[in-house]
Amino acid sequence: MDNSAGIQASLAGRYASALFDLASENGTVTSVESDLETLGAALSESDDLTAATNNPELSRAQQGAAVAAVAKHLSLNELTTNFLGVLAGNRRLSKLPEMIAAFKTIAAAQRGEVSANVTSAHKLTDAQLMALKDKLTARVGRTVMLTADENPDLLGGLVVTIGSQRIDASIRTRLNSLAQAMKA
């Protein structure tokens, strides 16, 4: 498996990599990835769950019981449930969002996908997003999974981020560049 050194070097990345390896051995990568997406959504929607995973005053057993109840409620598979138990036992539940992101990155890389984010001044249509996805896929030579954001401060144009590469074609940046050129 080809993981970036950055993912492997981080604590969250090591846990995510270990989970990916186990899921891969069991043939449950898709199921675990789905479970982690569900869990990530639950974390972002529930302040109580986030507090339970981040509260150092809760004992390992209390955190373990809390995440076991959440896992049962969300119908998470056995491997994901066991993983949460290990995190609770090792006092690492506070790093769960980073682990979820790292797992997604590892799984996407294994499938030959790369994540990209496009920020535009206004909402892009589905046709525009598909055209951009096709052009980015042709440029990077891998399937691009595209997420879109809006930022009216850009005034127009796009800012595309693929991994550590950033393509800034926004009007705001062009105006700032022009202003700097005029100052010189």
Side-chain angles (χ1 to χ4, degrees), residues 43-143:
L43 279 169
S44 66
E45 293 172 9
S46 171
D47 292 336
D48 291 337
L49 179 57
T50 301
T53 60
N54 291 321
N55 188 345
E57 294 178 2
L58 292 178
S59 70
R60 294 170 196 240
Q62 289 172 318
Q63 282 187 325
V67 293
V70 168
K72 184 176 181 181
H73 177 73
L74 296 175
S75 302
L76 303 182
N77 76 42
E78 184 181 359
L79 180 58
T80 308
T81 302
N82 291 343
F83 177 71
L84 292 174
V86 168
L87 294 181
N90 292 343
R91 307 287 268 158
R92 300 291 190 219
L93 282 172
S94 63
K95 299 292 183 187
L96 189 54
E98 292 94 335
M99 291 175 198
I100 292 170
F103 188 92
K104 285 181 185 179
T105 301
I106 293 167
Q110 187 67 18
R111 290 189 300 265
E113 299 172 350
V114 64
S115 296
N117 180 275
V118 60
T119 305
S120 60
H122 56 84
K123 184 176 170 89
L124 297 175
T125 66
D126 289 342
Q128 290 170 323
L129 287 171
M130 286 303 298
L132 181 60
K133 180 178 177 179
D134 292 342
K135 288 183 182 187
L136 291 173
T137 297
R139 180 177 177 153
V140 298
R142 293 168 62 186
T143 303

Side-chain angles (χ1 to χ4, degrees), residues 122-174:
H122 56 84
K123 184 176 170 89
L124 297 175
T125 66
D126 289 342
Q128 290 170 323
L129 287 171
M130 286 303 298
L132 181 60
K133 180 178 177 179
D134 292 342
K135 288 183 182 187
L136 291 173
T137 297
R139 180 177 177 153
V140 298
R142 293 168 62 186
T143 303
V144 173
M145 301 308 291
L146 195 60
T147 58
D149 295 322
E150 295 176 48
N151 182 354
D153 292 341
L154 293 180
L155 302 177
L158 303 171
V159 176
V160 179
T161 306
I162 305 172
S164 62
Q165 183 181 17
R166 182 179 208 125
I167 304 164
D168 191 340
S170 67
I171 292 176
R172 180 181 66 183
T173 299
R174 290 181 184 176

